[in-house]
């Protein structure tokens, strides 16, 4: 059985396009539903019939390992039928539009769509034309909602409540959809969030933080600090999440050189010493070891990078389940 959610907790979202529209109660419901999914995943046969008869179509226009595979595993664990479409082998290469592709997969029986696209906002367009739920597996620079939720889940599993805890996101903030979605979830849950990187890779975020401090752009009650002072950022941090330098999205001239970036902002053991002794090390992946994170830091005992990957399955099961509108009390395990 999947236990019923706490009284009063209801899910009212049709899609998962980003987490900016999720209240703290919504996020908490996802976390608790993911706890139920973790229990299922611990069973010898981690499968329940929650989505039996539901067809989940996974369309990725951009490369992915973790997100695509964990959505597929999650959907199969819920007994959904899964169809995978790689844009490179679909009629997209013949010029078919996003809208035509979405209408086509709907005509082929898709009940839910999971998608990744290089263009920010593409899942919102898909949600306008598709009759069922759309889950965003990452769109351009804009958002990666399921990554932010699994990051939060991983922090809570180790630290409990994140309220008041100092969480540092370090690196290429400018091009990061992961950072943007994490801002919403972490501040909604009351974390003391610090964004740190070279000034060229923080462009626009300082203005956001100023509006935030003025109370003009604060969706949550957490703190939100933007700085290039890595020593101040890491001091007494309880979580340090390094981000990949996203060179595929980067204009020339933003960084003097990779070597200088790594020397000034790479997460090394020496730098990490400024954080709490038990500070969690995180990275959404894929990692460029030796650039944004030293190889020996990525494998420290307190690194939870592989926990993030594993927790992605439970969190994505929770989201698929909540979007399916099923009633937990009516379900039986299998
Ligand atoms: N974190 C993340 O989105 O990884 P993938 O690109 O491998 O899905």
């Amino acid at each position: 059985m999947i236990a019923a959610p706490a009284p009063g907790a209801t899910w009212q979202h049709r899609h998962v396009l980003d987490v900016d529209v999720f209240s703290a109660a919504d996020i908490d419901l996802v976390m608790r539903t993911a706890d139920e999914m973790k229990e299922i995943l611990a069973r010898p046969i981690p499968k329940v019939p929650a989505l039996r008869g539901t067809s989940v179509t996974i369309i990725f226009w951009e490369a992915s390992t973790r997100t695509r595979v964990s959505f597929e595993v999650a959907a199969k664990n819920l007994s959904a039928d899964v169809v995978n479409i790689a844009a490179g082998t679909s009629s997209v290469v013949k010029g078919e539009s996003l809208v035509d592709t979405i209408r086509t997969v709907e005509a082929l029986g898709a009940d839910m769509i999971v998608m990744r696209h290089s263009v920010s906002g593409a899942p919102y367009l898909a949600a306008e034309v598709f009759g069922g739920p759309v889950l965003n597996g990452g769109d351009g620079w804009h958002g990666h909602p399921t990554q932010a939720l699994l990051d939060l889940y991983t922090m809570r599993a180790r630290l409990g409540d994140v309220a008041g805890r100092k969480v540092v996101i370090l690196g290429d903030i400018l091009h990061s959809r992961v950072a943007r979605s994490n801002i919403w979830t972490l501040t909604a849950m009351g974390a003391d969030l610090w964004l740190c990187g070279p000034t060229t890779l923080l462009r626009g975020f300082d203005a956001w933080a100023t509006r935030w401090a003025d109370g003009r752009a604060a969706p949550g009650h957490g703190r939100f600090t933007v700085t290039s002072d890595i020593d101040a950022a890491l001091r007494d941090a309880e979580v340090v999440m390094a981000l990949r330098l996203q060179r595929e999205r980067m204009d020339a001239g933003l960084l003097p050189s990779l070597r200088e970036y790594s020397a000034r902002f790479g997460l090394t053991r020496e730098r990490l010493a400024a954080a709490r002794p038990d500070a969690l090390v995180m990275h959404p992946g894929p990692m460029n070891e030796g650039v944004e994170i030293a190889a020996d830091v990525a494998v420290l005992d307190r690194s939870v990078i592989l926990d993030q990957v594993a927790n992605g399955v439970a969190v994505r099961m929770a989201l698929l389940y909540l979007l399916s509108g099923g009633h937990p009390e009516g379900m039986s395990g299998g």
Side-chain angles (χ1 to χ4, degrees):
M1 289 283 288
I2 296 176
T10 56
W11 182 255
Q12 304 196 334
H13 299 280
R14 181 156 178 227
H15 308 287
V16 178
L17 301 176
D18 201 3
V19 278
D20 55 341
V21 294
F22 286 6
S23 65
D26 293 330
I27 294 168
D28 200 52
L29 180 57
V30 175
M31 299 293 111
R32 286 183 294 110
T33 309
D35 284 339
E36 301 291 335
M37 299 304 169
K38 282 290 268 196
E39 286 182 21
I40 291 167
L41 290 170
R43 296 177 188 170
I45 301 174
K47 199 160 180 127
V48 289
L51 265 65
R52 186 173 288 158
T54 300
S55 179
V56 176
T57 296
I58 302 175
I59 320 177
F60 273 45
W61 277 261
E62 259 192 5
S64 167
T65 303
R66 294 152 198 78
T67 312
R68 198 201 60 71
V69 174
S70 66
F71 261 119
E72 180 169 348
V73 172
K76 286 180 172 170
N77 288 344
L78 296 171
S79 303
D81 299 317
V82 178
V83 176
N84 266 292
I85 302 175
T89 57
S90 75
S91 290
V92 167
V93 295
K94 299 177 189 167
E96 182 172 76
S97 71
L98 170 66
V99 168
D100 283 343
T101 304
I102 299 298
R103 287 190 176 133
T104 300
V105 300
E106 183 162 23
L108 290 168
D111 297 306
M112 294 188 183
I113 288 177
V114 180
M115 64 179 285
R116 169 172 289 188
H117 205 287
S118 58
V119 175
S120 298
Y124 291 78
L125 177 60
E128 281 181 26
V129 295
F130 183 62
V134 175
L135 295 101
N136 179 5
D139 63 321
W141 300 15
H142 168 255
H144 198 343
T146 62
Q147 180 71 43
L149 289 163
L150 74 88
D151 290 339
L152 178 66
Y153 188 85
T154 303
M155 290 179 215
R156 285 166 59 127
R158 292 294 184 118
L159 303 173
D161 196 350
V162 298
R165 295 192 183 272
K166 183 172 182 179
V167 177
V168 181
I169 302 182
L170 173 66
D172 182 1
I173 309 292
L174 179 65
H175 302 99
S176 177
R177 54 195 176 208
V178 174
R180 285 178 175 79
S181 287
N182 263 291
I183 290 172
W184 298 109
T185 47
L186 289 169
T187 56
M189 304 316 276
D192 175 15
L193 175 62
W194 290 58
L195 304 181
C196 180
T199 50
T200 49
L201 299 182
L202 290 170
R203 220 169 40 204
F205 285 85
D206 42 359
W208 191 356
T210 304
R211 293 202 310 280
W212 196 290
D214 294 346
R216 286 180 286 140
H221 52 277
R223 292 178 58 196
F224 173 17
T225 305
V226 178
T227 184
S228 289
D229 182 344
I230 189 167
D231 298 325
L234 292 181
R235 194 174 305 128
D236 297 325
E238 291 170 84
V239 178
V240 183
M241 183 190 301
L243 295 180
R244 185 171 67 86
L245 204 54
Q246 294 171 69
R247 281 175 278 175
E248 74 277 16
R249 300 197 184 123
M250 198 171 283
D251 293 332
L254 286 177
L255 293 174
S257 71
L258 265 192
R259 185 188 295 186
E260 184 172 332
Y261 174 81
S262 184
R264 291 196 54 206
F265 290 97
L267 185 60
T268 59
R269 276 179 187 259
E270 295 70 35
R271 289 236 161 79
L272 194 59
R276 297 260 183 106
D278 53 355
L280 301 181
V281 172
M282 301 181 73
H283 193 304
M287 284 188 285
N288 288 147
E289 290 176 348
V291 180
E292 72 271 4
I293 187 167
D296 61 348
V297 171
V299 295
L300 287 172
D301 283 349
R302 54 192 157 125
S303 164
V304 291
I305 293 169
L306 290 178
D307 294 24
Q308 290 171 267
V309 177
N311 288 335
V313 176
V315 168
R316 290 172 176 127
M317 284 172 73
L319 291 165
L320 289 167
Y321 174 69
L322 289 168
L323 289 172
S324 75
H327 297 287
E329 58 275 20
M331 292 183 48
S332 58

